[in-house]
Amino acid sequence: MSGTYQFRRVGRASAAVILAVMAAAALVYAQAADPPITFRLIVVSARDRAEALLAEIRAGASFEALARTESSDPSAGQGGLIGPVALSELRAELRETLRDLRIGDVHGVLELPTGYAIVQRVGDPPAMSMRGGEILAVAAVGAVRPTLSVDGFSEANAALNSIEKPEDWNQSPRRICELRQRAVGDVTAALARRLGPELAQTRAEYSAQEVMEAHVALGQLYAYRGEMAQAIAQFEAARRMAETELPAAVPDLLQSLGIAHLHKAEMDNGLFHAPGDRCLLSVSGGAPLQRRADFDAAMGYFTGLLASRPDDIEARWLINVGHMATGGYPALVPPQHAIPPADFASPEDVGRFVDVAAKAGVDSFSLAGGVIVDDFDNDGQLEILTSNFDSCGRMQLFARGPGGTFVDRAAAAGLGDQLGGLNLLQADYDNDGCRDVLVLRGGWELAQRKSLLRNNCDGTFTDVTAASGLARPATSTQTAAWADIDNDGFVDLFVGNEDAPSQLFRNRGDGTFEDIAPSAGVARTAFTKAVHAGDVDNDGFPDFYVSNLRGVNFLYRNNRDRTFTEMAAEAGVTGADRGFPAWFFDYDNDGWDDLFVSSYFLSIEENARSYMRLPVNAKTQKLYRNLGNGRFADVTAQTGMAKVLMPMGSNFGDIDNDGFLDVYLGTGSPSYGALQPSVLLRNREGKTFVDVTASSGTGEMHKGHGVAFADLDNDGDEEIVFKVGGATPGDAHAFRLFQNPGHGNDWLGVKLVGVKTNRAAIGARITVTVEQAGGARRVIHRTVNSGGTFGASPLEQHIGLGKAVRIAELEVFWPVSKTRQRFAGIGTNQVIEIREGDDRVTPLARKPLPLGGGR
């Protein structure tokens, strides 16, 4: 093994650490039937060009260099490098070819849906791996300093990847659960034996550096399970070895110890189970800790690091936010390390959003996951459906109980076997008037099946994944979008996959789907993290934006014949090269779909720089304004969106009912050291976005995932429904439900029912013209969808109107019938139903419901 020290750069999952985990696994299991491999890929559009490149490679040309300059695959930026990835996750053409290739061998030409390919089998990539490792790889970009990871996520994935799996293991959520538990438990036990009773043998077989990194690997696996005392003991053993064997590793090991002690202090003091205000960005700070020993140890490590590395912004940040949670900010922060309160303060006060999840009965404590807020039983009351990234974690369906509080009815709804799932989406794919659910699995992990859950319209769901044609092949994904691509009245499904071609499932209208991605021109391979549907040219046919974790993003324009043309570069919306959440929304109400496109760099330092008003090294998120001529303008800087924020779960809604869509970004990464606030950005009249996180009380410091905006108490304003939790069992967290304090503006709820258009009216457009007291008019635009790309708001549209207005006209455009219905005389502050082709407007009674927070 290499003696080069790369502890931080690859986020502790260095070659030696991962190999130590794999070696431990080998003590328990025989050679895996499906071992991970790494390869390089070149894809070009013409066979003769592929053959010419193959000849150049065989004549001695660099495969990597040609991939960078010639390949159309998203892996081109990494020299065509893909993997490690299990053979079973690859297309059959690649799987059969790579199985027989030796390291260094080149094979071509293969015909793939995306073009003509040449492949080369390679060994372990330098300081890079996919799945969990990909999360780390995105951090090491140029001058960006990656966050030090303490969480065990990559090690746990390596353990799962190493074990032998039965055929079709990834078609059963319960089998996935069993394998995950067994893999992590057995590999942890094997490493513990190697570093305990068998240490003498281990020292004879491995170098001191490898033994040190094995201690780190074992510590990470303990951290994964939340066993922080054991993790700290292993990190401490590694530190003692490093002091004599590898001094360069000591600072990062001290940082790891600081993060581990801080996480233990949070766990021991109940910050994850009952967070209250202690986990929020706040210049006034939280309550003092009852058990301080680990917190004080963490602060000692960070302060010591800053004595030798005064420019360590990550350590400085953790000192400040650590004291925020304990009531000690800013008074107890050493003056030389203090970040001024002004750097966190909001320039505007939008009122305090109070977390009422516990009082409202939303009793959820879990890992990351998705969330849908919608009316699943058509009783006029919204339910909350959540998933759990834990492979053994159950879904929860919170519906109103007899006393008005929420009660978990998942078991009665037939959801008991739906384990795992990182994200959720709703639609009415069979047009029966009931919301169905799609569960997405395998994001950041090995490929796993999706679940399509048909709503039986009686309070229960049936898993129809296999019968519908969505089960195979299993893929790694957390993102998809429902849209009627051909305007036949049935919603179709675009699925963005990780290191596999995207899928586009056409709804046949009989309960089954067919994947037409290759013929539609969207079967590109990328590490896709977001897909969203919009209509960039207002032609009534949905287009798609695809956000990728590495390389450029894609904008697919609908050609109206079940094919698409990729035009991101032409339109000027290629993104920041490290994409995660992205969506279409009309932020300035001009009638054209604009684009929010995130950047995702795993760096607490870059996040801190955005707060501390220091120059950033990472690319910022992007806001693109639709110019209406096939192109977009980058308005990021002028709208105040030029920030580096590490967003994951995110969505948009209207927090103050002014008619302009605001943004909530749930932030984080797997590392326990990734403590940074989720961010609430208020849209100021479609001109700028203002950070109101501190004043609103919504700056949750822990991992933010599924986000939805919904009026849960029927009082006319939208709450923020927030699934909080990390990627590992040691980072589970309580649910957040931030009740809106109200702003006195008018509003309108609109439920559309399609007849020729799909029943849920996904893709239909609403235009509301309002007249203010002085006679001035303005127009507000909405498209029926569930919001952003990680979490789903109700399909019934909530439209803020502003203060003291009269609705002059409401127009609905139905994309299938191409009709426009116009209505006048509609009152404000009510919910109405409009049916396609029916000139009547039906008011819907919505009685006020308690949430427990009060006003």
Side-chain angles (χ1 to χ4, degrees), residues 737-754:
L737 201 173
F738 291 113
Q739 186 174 24
N740 195 314
H743 296 85
N745 288 333
D746 294 323
W747 57 276
L748 181 69
V750 181
K751 179 181 180 180
L752 297 184
V753 179

Side-chain angles (χ1 to χ4, degrees), residues 336-357:
Q336 68 273 29
H337 303 317
I339 299 174
D343 288 355
F344 299 112
S346 299
E348 296 180 0
D349 186 357
V350 294
R352 189 79 173 178
F353 285 67
V354 177
D355 177 18
V356 296

Side-chain angles (χ1 to χ4, degrees), residues 537-836:
D537 48 9
N538 282 349
D539 67 349
F541 284 79
D543 312 296
F544 292 104
Y545 192 77
V546 178
S547 178
N548 302 314
L549 192 60
R550 50 190 172 89
V552 299
N553 299 337
F554 310 140
L555 173 60
Y556 290 115
R557 186 188 62 211
N558 193 325
N559 298 324
R560 310 184 204 178
D561 59 1
R562 296 179 184 165
T563 71
F564 294 79
T565 298
E566 202 289 305
M567 53 174 293
E570 175 186 342
V573 292
T574 53
D577 299 332
R578 291 291 186 273
F580 205 155
W583 59 70
F584 292 103
F585 71 147
D586 187 358
Y587 81 90
D588 55 359
N589 278 325
D590 67 351
W592 295 90
D593 278 342
D594 310 300
L595 261 174
F596 170 81
V597 182
S598 71
S599 64
Y600 189 64
F601 292 82
L602 298 195
S603 175
I604 290 296
E605 177 174 309
E606 294 301 306
N607 178 81
R609 285 176 173 274
S610 288
Y611 278 91
M612 297 164 66
R613 300 174 175 84
L614 298 173
V616 296
N617 301 302
K619 292 185 179 181
T620 70
Q621 60 193 16
K622 296 289 186 181
L623 182 63
Y624 297 112
R625 182 174 179 268
N626 192 334
L627 300 177
N629 59 1
R631 293 192 57 80
F632 291 74
D634 186 340
V635 295
T636 309
Q638 68 197 62
T639 56
M641 293 288 267
K643 301 175 184 292
V644 180
L645 296 173
M646 209 188 299
M648 298 187 299
S650 308
N651 212 322
F652 58 85
D654 187 351
I655 61 169
D656 51 5
N657 281 341
D658 67 349
F660 291 95
L661 292 169
D662 312 298
V663 171
Y664 189 63
L665 303 175
T667 63
S669 77
S671 176
Y672 297 162
L675 297 174
Q676 61 191 81
S678 294
V679 178
L680 182 58
L681 300 172
R682 182 188 190 188
N683 185 340
R684 185 188 285 165
E685 298 181 343
K687 299 173 183 177
T688 61
F689 285 82
V690 179
D691 189 335
V692 293
T693 307
S695 67
S696 64
T698 58
E700 167 63 56
M701 286 288 181
H702 295 118
K703 314 306 184 329
H705 284 87
V707 175
F709 288 78
D711 182 5
L712 284 171
D713 50 7
N714 290 340
D715 66 349
D717 46 41
E718 293 185 300
E719 277 68 53
I720 299 175
V721 184
F722 192 22
K723 177 76 168 181
V724 184
T728 66
D731 209 11
H733 199 282
F735 200 88
R736 292 282 201 178
L737 201 173
F738 291 113
Q739 186 174 24
N740 195 314
H743 296 85
N745 288 333
D746 294 323
W747 57 276
L748 181 69
V750 181
K751 179 181 180 180
L752 297 184
V753 179
V755 177
K756 293 182 178 179
T757 299
N758 68 88
R759 182 74 174 268
I762 293 172
R765 306 187 76 152
I766 303 168
T767 303
V768 183
T769 302
V770 298
E771 185 176 285
Q772 297 167 318
R777 291 192 173 195
R778 69 186 182 100
V779 180
I780 301 165
H781 296 274
R782 294 291 183 269
T783 300
V784 177
N785 58 38
S786 58
T789 51
F790 207 144
S793 302
L795 293 176
E796 177 181 296
Q797 294 299 293
H798 179 96
I799 305 172
L801 303 175
K803 191 177 295 294
V805 300
R806 180 183 71 85
I807 297 176
E809 182 182 76
L810 184 148
E811 178 186 282
V812 179
F813 171 69
W814 301 94
V816 174
S817 62
K818 303 296 184 186
T819 57
R820 296 181 186 273
Q821 292 177 266
R822 294 181 174 88
F823 304 90
I826 295 175
T828 60
N829 304 323
Q830 64 170 329
V831 179
I832 61 174
E833 179 178 289
I834 298 174
R835 189 176 183 89
E836 185 175 12

